[in-house]
Amino acid sequence: MLRVVSWNVNGIRSPLQGMLCEEPSNYAAMVVGRILDKLDADIVCFQETKVTRDVLTEPLAITEGYNSYFSFSRSRSGYSGVATFCKDSATPVAAEEGLSGLLATQKGDVGCYGNMDEFTQEELRALDSEGRALLTQHKIRTWEGKEKILTLINVYCPHADPGKPERLAFKMRFYSLLKIRAEALLAAGSHVIILGDLNTAHRPIDHWDAVNLECFEEDPGRKWMDGLLSSLGCQTGSHVGPFIDSYRCFQPKQEGAFTCWSAVSGARHLNYGSRLDYVLGDRTLVIDTFQDSFLLPEVMGSDHCPVGAVLSVSSVPAKECPPLCTRFLPEFAGTQLKIHRFLVRLKDPVFRHSALKLNNKTQVQMHQNKARVRSTRPRPSQAGSSRGQKNLTSYFHPSSSHPQASPNLELPSVGALMTPKTSEKEVMTKVVEGQASASEAKDEKKIRTSFWKSVLGGPLSMPLCRGHREPCVRRTVKKPGPNLGRHFYICARPQGPPTDPSSRCNFFLWSRPS
């Protein structure tokens, strides 16, 4: 069996990985290994890693028992990025970064690019500059003993921001390039799996609030998926696309099967989300080899949950990893020297003997220099000098500089040291006066406190929402516009369907300017 899993981790270095909170001190070295153990897959594809090569560390890149491949964003730091981790038993025969072939190194690449004449070189370079696609090609063996080629395309498709129409155009061009490359691989005889975050909820069943969205079916991303996928999953339908949505093939009517939720509104508590993550396989591969397709909503640590599939094939590992493997990067392969390598203990006996000789020579020279310096110092005379080095016991002898007590000194009498007895009346008077002064000080403190309370009112109490009569939460407008920076109050409950009384009500109130 071959198990593949995909997960948008929303930052592979993020400390929000819920499964790893028990060992925060050892997080950097353990994070990837613990995630991979938890997912228990032969091939794991991550999206939105948010690492660039300059911040990629060896514990994140190289994990025992796996070989890894990264695609980095070249336009922004801490943005986008995908990574694929393969068990050594599923080592790919080829690996390649990007969809266009412009990032290919010619050695160990996947190839099969198709006709990309509709794109300019600048456009192809821009589409591959954000680190959104990574291909690994594997040999698989079916139960009949036949060996075939399987290509996995790990993708993190762009998000279309409603306020930025140019990003919608970028997203659609990325979709077109993805389809051209996938179909070219199919035409070359390879099986193909597209898995990752496609950033589109395909059907109304894949979105909780699809009924209230205008022109849901007319969305360009959904129309593109209509052309890519077979209409009725594994069944014959009016439209037969080259790929099948594997989850809907096994669970065609499962409602509430979501993979992404808003972290800000707490929508995951009430499962108010959408399905943006997919495992798409070519028709022949899904029908012949797919045994299961699943979601893992119980796995926390991101605003997405993992998705995956199980295939009834076995992997035939390559004898060596492709050149794109991170263990071949100069900073991890040992070809790029680091400062700690200059501090390693010498092991060669010849070098150690020469180093020892040099060390002894240096020590002799140091002793000679010290003796030379010592001989040039002026020495005090041994008989009459008082500045010579003192003995330790000299500090414990009685000093002649301190005057000793005279035996004829008269000490004061005991009676002179005693305080005369105070009368009881005087004591009571002092107690009463002390209590009066303490009371006056307390009254003065109360007056001062009340004054400052009247001047500084303190934070205003949170208003109550009308739906539940509960304290609201305060939010800040971050969207550019006339209200940028303004504060407002909304219901504190998690976002959910309007028909659910336990979800957030529609209360809204602008905060008064201070």
Side-chain angles (χ1 to χ4, degrees):
M1 293 291 181
L2 181 70
R3 178 181 166 96
V4 296
V5 170
S6 169
W7 190 16
N8 180 322
V9 290
N10 192 21
I12 199 169
R13 297 178 300 157
S14 171
L16 298 178
Q17 306 295 343
M19 67 183 76
L20 303 170
C21 60
E22 59 268 15
E23 292 187 26
S25 60
N26 204 24
Y27 177 79
M30 299 288 291
V31 55
V32 176
R34 293 288 300 275
I35 291 176
L36 295 174
D37 290 343
K38 180 80 173 180
L39 298 178
D40 189 27
D42 300 288
I43 303 172
V44 179
C45 298
F46 294 124
Q47 300 86 43
E48 206 172 357
T49 57
K50 295 184 180 180
V51 292
T52 45
R53 183 168 172 176
D54 59 320
V55 297
L56 183 66
T57 60
E58 191 167 342
L60 289 177
I62 301 177
T63 303
E64 185 178 358
Y66 291 83
N67 47 92
S68 63
Y69 309 84
F70 279 74
S71 178
F72 309 103
S73 171
R74 289 162 170 78
S75 57
R76 290 169 55 185
S77 180
Y79 174 73
S80 188
V82 293
T84 299
F85 285 76
C86 306
K87 278 187 177 179
D88 290 340
S89 58
T91 301
V93 295
E96 184 180 328
E97 186 181 2
L99 296 172
S100 66
L102 296 181
L103 304 179
T105 59
Q106 310 255 328
K107 184 181 178 183
D109 295 326
V110 174
C112 305
Y113 302 103
N115 186 358
M116 299 182 182
D117 293 341
E118 62 179 278
F119 299 94
T120 64
Q121 290 291 304
E122 292 76 12
E123 192 175 12
L124 290 174
R125 194 170 288 107
L127 290 170
D128 273 346
S129 68
E130 295 185 356
R132 294 185 175 274
L134 187 63
L135 286 73
T136 54
Q137 197 165 70
H138 307 259
K139 278 186 179 179
I140 57 173
R141 183 179 290 116
T142 64
W143 287 114
E144 295 85 7
K146 297 180 180 179
E147 287 193 2
K148 298 184 177 181
I149 296 294
L150 170 63
T151 305
L152 269 71
I153 307 180
N154 177 7
V155 291
Y156 173 45
C157 296
H159 169 68
D161 191 336
K164 297 179 180 179
E166 68 277 7
R167 291 303 292 177
L168 176 60
F170 185 87
K171 176 179 181 176
M172 297 312 300
R173 296 298 280 169
F174 186 89
Y175 276 161
S176 299
L177 183 60
L178 174 59
K179 186 177 181 182
I180 289 172
R181 186 69 189 273
E183 290 179 342
L185 288 164
L186 285 174
S190 171
H191 288 297
V192 177
I193 292 178
I194 302 172
L195 72 169
D197 181 0
L198 298 187
N199 252 320
T200 296
H202 184 210
R203 296 295 186 198
I205 194 175
D206 300 320
H207 196 290
W208 185 266
D209 203 24
V211 179
N212 296 321
L213 295 179
E214 294 183 5
C215 306
F216 183 87
E217 300 285 353
E218 300 302 316
D219 179 80
R222 295 183 179 94
K223 284 186 171 295
W224 174 82
M225 292 191 73
D226 288 340
L228 182 72
L229 301 177
S230 295
S231 298
L232 300 177
C234 295
Q235 305 299 322
T236 304
S238 56
H239 174 75
V240 180
F243 289 89
I244 288 176
D245 179 354
S246 63
Y247 183 77
R248 286 300 173 203
C249 178
F250 290 93
Q251 306 288 344
K253 297 181 180 180
Q254 179 64 49
E255 297 183 353
F258 305 134
T259 66
C260 180
W261 305 264
S262 171
V264 176
S265 63
R268 193 167 188 170
H269 295 286
L270 298 175
N271 196 26
Y272 190 73
S274 55
R275 190 168 72 98
L276 306 181
D277 304 84
Y278 299 83
V279 179
L280 312 178
D282 66 81
R283 286 184 58 85
T284 304
L285 184 70
V286 174
I287 294 173
D288 291 347
T289 67
F290 270 55
Q291 298 297 303
D292 188 21
S293 186
F294 53 85
L295 315 179
L296 299 174
E298 70 278 3
V299 177
M300 309 300 287
S302 171
D303 55 347
H304 291 249
C305 77
V307 301
V310 178
L311 288 70
S312 60
V313 298
S314 59
S315 177
V316 180
K319 293 182 179 179
E320 60 180 19
C321 300
L324 189 64
C325 183
T326 51
R327 68 179 60 168
F328 297 138
L329 292 176
E331 55 266 39
F332 304 139
T335 56
Q336 176 177 310
L337 293 179
K338 300 181 180 180
I339 191 167
H340 71 81
R341 296 187 180 275
F342 294 96
L343 307 177
V344 175
R345 186 190 298 271
L346 294 174
K347 296 183 178 179
D348 194 324
V350 176
F351 287 108
R352 183 181 294 178
H353 183 66
S354 61
L356 186 61
K357 273 187 173 181
L358 182 62
N359 191 29
N360 292 337
K361 198 174 187 179
T362 306
Q363 287 184 5
V364 170
Q365 189 173 2
M366 286 175 63
H367 285 305
Q368 291 174 352
N369 291 339
K370 284 183 179 180
R372 202 175 292 118
V373 170
R374 199 177 293 120
S375 65
T376 59
R377 289 178 183 170
R379 296 191 178 188
S381 62
Q382 297 180 357
S385 175
S386 62
R387 299 186 61 185
Q389 183 172 346
K390 293 185 178 181
N391 196 335
L392 182 63
T393 57
S394 65
Y395 292 96
F396 299 96
H397 292 165
S399 175
S400 60
S401 60
H402 293 278
Q404 295 183 357
S406 172
N408 299 325
L409 182 65
E410 292 186 4
L411 296 175
S413 63
V414 177
L417 296 175
M418 294 181 62
T419 305
K421 188 174 180 181
T422 308
S423 65
E424 185 176 348
K425 186 176 181 181
E426 290 177 358
V427 172
M428 291 300 296
T429 303
K430 288 182 179 179
V431 170
V432 171
E433 289 177 355
Q435 289 179 350
S437 61
S439 178
E440 289 176 2
K442 188 179 291 185
D443 292 342
E444 185 180 352
K445 185 178 180 181
K446 284 183 179 180
I447 293 171
R448 194 182 298 115
T449 303
S450 62
F451 168 75
W452 284 114
K453 279 186 176 180
S454 64
V455 175
L456 305 174
L460 297 175
S461 58
M462 290 291 178
L464 304 180
C465 67
R466 295 192 182 94
H468 309 100
R469 305 302 300 169
E470 296 174 352
C472 295
V473 291
R474 192 186 189 202
R475 302 291 189 203
T476 305
V477 177
K478 297 182 180 179
K479 185 177 180 180
N483 293 320
L484 179 65
R486 287 189 66 184
H487 303 293
F488 60 93
Y489 299 100
I490 58 173
C491 177
R493 294 200 178 193
Q495 189 178 8
T499 55
D500 189 347
S502 64
S503 65
R504 175 185 298 175
C505 64
N506 58 358
F507 177 79
F508 178 89
L509 178 67
W510 285 112
S511 174
R512 290 185 306 171
S514 55

